[in-house]
Amino acid sequence: MTKGVVAVLLVAGILLAAPVAFAADKTDAEKRAEIDKVTKEALDEVLAKSENAPELFKKAYGYAVFDNMRITFIFTGGGGSGEAVNKGTGAKTYMKMGTGGLALGIGAQKYQVIMFFENKDVFTKFIEKGWKAESGANAAAGTAGANAGTTFVNGIAVYQITEAGLMASADISGTKYSVDKKLNGK
């Protein structure tokens, strides 16, 4: 291997390990508080910047927000945490997510995924059975031009926020969502 490849692999390894190392220092209560804060901020941003998000949110039974980090170097991998919230009761279920696959390129991306669930059945299945976004699970979101097409697909509307802002396409393929038993005290 060349020194450049080794250096890139080393940096990628450090970037993947850093969030885990920092998260290990926090108590479960601190982790939940941080998730709550990210959820509020991301939800507020989507509702402010997307023309039809307020209407979809109004119709939604519940919602989920995840804060994610994805690293790409031939293989892509990432993880994050979030919560699903029942709008009617305010009940929160803390969750985790993981993603992996093959990708061209090198880099890291921090982003949030916001999901609105159209009804109780879809929301409950998401929490109880988890959910795996298969390949091609791209969802319209974001800009004024893309907003016209954003709607519930199979009971879920998906938005993605990156450092660049609300994205016109949320690529959530290869992502698995599941309940975080530790943060829920189970």
Side-chain angles (χ1 to χ4, degrees):
M1 281 192 198
T2 68
K3 289 181 183 180
V5 172
V6 171
V8 170
L9 286 173
L10 183 60
V11 169
I14 291 168
L15 288 173
L16 281 171
V20 174
F22 291 121
D25 292 341
K26 295 180 181 177
T27 67
D28 288 347
E30 290 171 326
K31 291 176 188 175
R32 286 189 293 268
E34 187 174 310
I35 291 169
D36 292 345
K37 180 179 182 268
V38 169
T39 295
K40 182 183 181 334
E41 290 170 355
L43 184 61
D44 288 349
E45 184 172 348
V46 164
L47 294 175
K49 292 185 177 178
S50 173
E51 288 179 15
N52 67 342
E55 185 62 30
L56 289 176
F57 183 73
K58 184 177 172 182
K59 293 177 184 177
Y61 177 84
Y63 61 95
V65 176
F66 291 88
D67 194 27
N68 309 303
M69 174 65 114
R70 182 181 296 196
I71 307 289
T72 302
F73 181 77
I74 302 172
F75 295 99
T76 183
S81 58
E83 64 187 346
V85 181
N86 177 319
K87 280 180 42 187
T89 66
K92 298 175 182 178
T93 302
Y94 294 93
M95 301 183 74
K96 55 189 173 181
M97 59 78 55
T99 185
L102 289 172
L104 296 175
I106 299 171
Q109 181 184 38
K110 185 169 173 48
Y111 61 99
Q112 290 80 40
V113 173
I114 300 91
M115 301 176 184
F116 298 157
F117 300 93
E118 190 170 24
N119 57 53
K120 181 179 180 179
D121 185 51
V122 174
F123 179 77
T124 302
K125 283 181 184 174
F126 177 79
I127 293 171
E128 292 179 357
K129 300 186 189 287
W131 186 63
K132 184 174 181 180
E134 301 297 341
S135 62
N138 291 333
T143 64
N147 255 337
T150 306
T151 186
F152 289 109
V153 176
N154 296 324
I156 304 173
V158 181
Y159 296 86
Q160 181 175 327
I161 301 172
T162 68
E163 291 176 2
L166 200 57
M167 299 297 288
S169 176
D171 181 3
I172 56 170
S173 60
T175 304
K176 171 79 170 123
Y177 299 88
S178 59
V179 170
D180 186 326
K181 293 179 182 175
K182 185 172 186 266
L183 288 184
N184 288 296
K186 297 179 182 179

